[in-house]
Every structure is written in C-alpha cells, then in structure tokens.
Amino acid sequence: MAHTVYCMSNEITEFRIDIPQQRLDDLRARLDGTRWPAPLPGDGWDTGVPTAWLRELVDYWRTGYDWRAAEARLNSYAQYTTEIDGQLIHFLHVRSPEADALPLLMTHGWPGSVVEFLDVIGPLSDPRAHGGDPKDAFHLVIPSLPGFGFSGPVAAAGWTIERIGAAWAELMNRLGYPRYGVQGGDVGAAVSPEVGRVAPESVAGVHLNGPGPYPQLPLPEAEFASLTERERHRIGRIEAFMREEFGYIAIQSTRPQTLAYGLTDSPVGQLAWIMDKFREWTHPRNENPDSIIDRDLLLTNAMLYWLNGTAGSAAYVGYAQESPWGPPKSNSGVPTAALVLAHDVGIRRYVETENTITRWNDVDRGGHFAALEEPELLTADVREFFRDLR
C-alpha cells in the first residue's frame, strides 16, 4: 500500500549537537552512583551481560570516554532536521566534492544509530581522498530512524517500515535528488526496499546487508532437503535465535513503555541492553564486542539513546511492525544487492520472493553491524554494485 506523506512545511533546518554540560554531569553522577547487581553464577554471557565486563566498560565511560570529542566528530558533518508526516527527522547530509556523485540514502538499525556509518562516510563520499576512484563517489544522506536518537521521541503511532520508506522518499525529494541509491542493514534492510517500492522511478539500486525476508519455520522436509549446506546452517541459526534470543523482541514489541522506565533512568541499564546485542550479533560471537568494535564508538552509539531518552520510542518503532510472516510484498523491480556477512542468515531464494537480486555476496567474516565491523568490505561492495547503475 502506498503511503501519501502530508506535511505542514518542507523547511529544512540546520542542526548541531550541543549537549548541555549539566546533562553530562548528571550522567557522571548516575554512573558514580550505580547500584550494581550481584553477578549470577559463572558471570558469563549465557545469563546476559557479565558484571565484571560491564563494570570495566562503565569505568572507562566514567573516566576515559570523551563525549565532547564524539560530539565534535559528528558535528564535522552537516546535519539537519525537517518535519515529515508529523515527525521530526534528523539526518546527516554529506555532499561529495565530486559534482557527479550519486546520492545514497543509508539507514541504520536497532540498537544502532547514525554512528554506525562514521567510518564509511569519508571513503564513500570522497573516494579520491581515500585511495579510491572518484567515479565511485556518493552524496550521503543518513537519517536517524523515527523515534531514534535526535529523531526521537515519536509523535504518533504507526511508524511501520512502509511509512518510513515513504518518509525517506519524501526526504530525498525535498533535498532535490530525483535519482538515488539506498543502503541499509537490520531495520535499514527492511526500510530500504520500501523506498524502492514507493519510488521505483527514483531508486537506482538497493544495497542490503543481512537482508530478509525469512521463511516460516519449520520448513517442509522436501524444501529443507533442497537447500545448500550453508543455507541449512542458516535455517538452524534462525531456529536457535527464535529459541534463545527472541525475548528482547517479545518485550520491545509488546511492552516498550514498561522497559523504557529502567533504560531511560539508568545509563548502565541502557548500556547493558544494547551491549547484549552487540555481543550476540558481532562476529565471532565468542569475542567481547569491544574487541571487535572500538569502545568509543560503542559508547557514542549508546549515548545517542541515553541523551535523547529514546529507549522506549526506538523499541516501539524498531519492532512495532506487523508479523514478518505475512504474504510476500510486491517486487519493485529495482536492482538489489545482498551482502551477507558471517553472522547473518539471509537465504537468496526467500529474499528473491520480494526483491530483484542482481548481486549476492556471501562472506565468511563480519557480523550484523557491517559498517562498524567491516567498513572497507561494505564500502567496496557498495561501490562495485552501484558502478553499473549510475
């Protein structure tokens, strides 16, 4: 179903992050006064985030992490806000120095933020300065999802992926981009094809890391038998996820407000909720997340949730969707690429029910957070895919 986006004003306002010192002092006081739970037997990841590991990370957050440096890094990129469909939307807009660059809309996921893309902005927007071919340059538009970070909280219900896709098409229209590519992972991998469905004449290509849809389980025996060994392994991992890890979706999609009290009041609670997923979804899974992703980036991402108090609205939007097992969506016909890293479980035959797959790249390294874990790999794959679509 197409969504019509109505707006009172098309005005785009410049935005800079400028967190009052008092709020940083409040965070420091809360961290200093944390009421820690006793570790459960073994203090391992199987019961949740280990107390010993989290205490060490929180100690660094208190004494070593520099929010002002992170704020300056984010502010080194042009940022704006605009109201679309009654919702304030925050976005980075990084124009390439190459005049004929292709606009590219990049969408993050949960529990991520625009921070996910910090290490790919330079190489994608200015390849000449990063040892690449200037013909591969992109103008980047990187919005915060409704209810996330500086696009939070949500003003109204109903921010489905279809509605977000329509809002993104309106954003690109407002910015004067008649033709552009889209890219995303996690929630962004669900939203990006929707932009192609709402504006197929404008979207040159859709690049996804870790794409769905996924089949309804259990699979019929004959269908399972027809899968490759790699695909069977992925089915097994989806089944394990539904058994062992589905709890957070059950909570976020049914009781986001109840969860929000603890996470909005306790920075350590907010950090633990996010770090639990960074441990499960980075690759290899048995490594601590701060050995895979820079701990300053991990904390900056958590800060966007903490400073904006968006634990509840991000949960509400991230998982306030209809059942993933509905009838297949219409195929927009837009050329679509899938980059499937080692952690992810996309299976081509199911993804192809809704998308025109023209490139499929299975990679045996990297986790769910492609831009944070494998920025060079993601950059190379995006460049290669769009080369023939400019």
Side-chain angles (χ1 to χ4, degrees):
M1 180 177 93
H3 281 258
T4 309
V5 176
Y6 300 100
C7 52
M8 303 296 289
S9 156
N10 287 354
E11 190 182 344
I12 293 172
T13 307
E14 288 191 15
F15 178 84
R16 275 180 69 75
I17 305 169
D18 185 14
I19 301 300
Q21 186 58 40
Q22 171 202 348
R23 287 176 48 207
L24 301 181
D25 295 342
D26 171 72
L27 170 62
R28 175 68 189 263
R30 287 167 185 264
L31 294 175
D32 287 346
T34 301
R35 185 169 176 237
W36 289 94
L40 292 173
D43 199 29
W45 284 95
D46 54 340
T47 49
V49 181
T51 312
W53 180 81
L54 193 67
R55 286 190 88 127
E56 188 186 327
L57 184 61
V58 168
D59 195 50
Y60 176 72
W61 197 5
R62 284 174 53 244
T63 61
Y65 172 77
D66 183 351
W67 164 255
R68 293 301 183 201
E71 190 178 67
R73 185 179 181 191
L74 283 160
N75 281 335
S76 70
Y77 302 112
Q79 295 170 73
Y80 303 89
T81 58
T82 191
E83 189 182 304
I84 303 176
D85 202 2
Q87 177 66 38
L88 186 74
I89 298 295
H90 160 261
F91 62 98
L92 279 61
H93 187 194
V94 183
R95 294 274 305 174
S96 171
E98 310 297 337
D100 57 352
L102 177 69
L104 181 65
L105 172 72
M106 305 188 81
T107 307
H108 66 84
W110 182 92
S113 65
V114 295
V115 170
E116 289 185 49
F117 297 115
L118 284 174
D119 287 342
V120 299
I121 289 175
L124 287 174
S125 65
D126 191 2
R128 191 191 298 267
H130 292 82
D133 185 340
K135 291 196 192 72
D136 287 329
F138 296 94
H139 300 305
L140 300 177
V141 179
I142 306 175
S144 297
L145 285 163
F148 285 69
F150 297 103
S151 289
V154 273
W159 278 101
T160 61
I161 54 170
E162 293 85 358
R163 186 172 171 188
I164 298 168
W168 279 189
E170 167 63 18
L171 174 61
M172 296 304 275
N173 183 45
R174 253 178 228 192
L175 293 172
Y177 290 136
R179 189 168 182 276
Y180 51 89
V182 291
Q183 198 287 324
D186 192 80
V187 180
V191 168
S192 297
E194 294 301 333
V195 186
R197 289 187 184 102
V198 90
E201 68 295 332
S202 297
V203 178
V206 177
H207 185 284
L208 308 172
N209 55 278
Y214 306 105
Q216 190 155 7
L217 301 177
L219 287 182
E221 247 173 79
E223 189 173 329
F224 185 76
S226 73
L227 298 176
T228 67
E229 193 175 334
R230 186 198 293 264
E231 289 170 340
R232 287 180 201 175
H233 179 64
R234 287 179 182 168
I235 292 292
R237 300 225 335 270
I238 295 170
E239 288 172 335
F241 175 87
M242 298 303 284
R243 267 197 319 274
E244 300 159 17
E245 282 189 66
F246 196 74
Y248 78 98
I249 295 181
I251 294 168
Q252 294 204 148
S253 60
T254 59
R255 291 291 185 273
Q257 189 68 58
T258 305
L259 174 70
Y261 296 107
L263 304 194
T264 306
D265 190 55
S266 165
V268 171
Q270 176 68 85
L271 183 66
W273 189 252
I274 290 176
M275 284 304 112
D276 188 84
K277 294 299 157 262
F278 272 91
R279 167 48 157 63
E280 289 298 318
W281 299 348
T282 46
H283 182 82
R285 183 180 176 188
N286 59 358
E287 298 275 334
N288 289 335
D290 58 335
S291 68
I292 297 169
I293 298 170
D294 177 78
R295 53 174 36 187
D296 287 297
L297 280 174
L298 290 172
L299 289 168
T300 300
N301 178 65
M303 285 290 275
L304 292 203
Y305 285 77
W306 172 256
L307 293 169
N308 292 291
T310 50
S313 60
Y316 180 68
V317 171
Y319 294 95
Q321 308 293 347
E322 293 143 30
S323 158
W325 317 122
K329 294 169 181 274
S330 63
N331 189 330
S332 66
V334 176
T336 300
L339 173 62
V340 188
L341 300 180
H343 167 276
D344 284 317
V345 289
I347 295 173
R348 182 166 184 160
R349 67 171 73 183
Y350 302 114
V351 180
E352 280 185 328
T353 59
E354 299 179 359
N355 303 283
T356 301
I357 299 296
T358 59
R359 175 184 174 84
W360 186 277
N361 188 6
D362 284 309
V363 181
D364 289 327
R365 66 176 199 272
H368 189 63
F369 305 95
L372 283 169
E373 294 180 68
E374 297 285 349
E376 292 90 357
L377 175 62
L378 178 65
T379 297
D381 206 75
V382 167
R383 284 174 177 170
E384 203 170 319
F385 171 61
F386 283 105
R387 217 162 265 157
D388 301 330
L389 300 172
R390 289 174 175 267

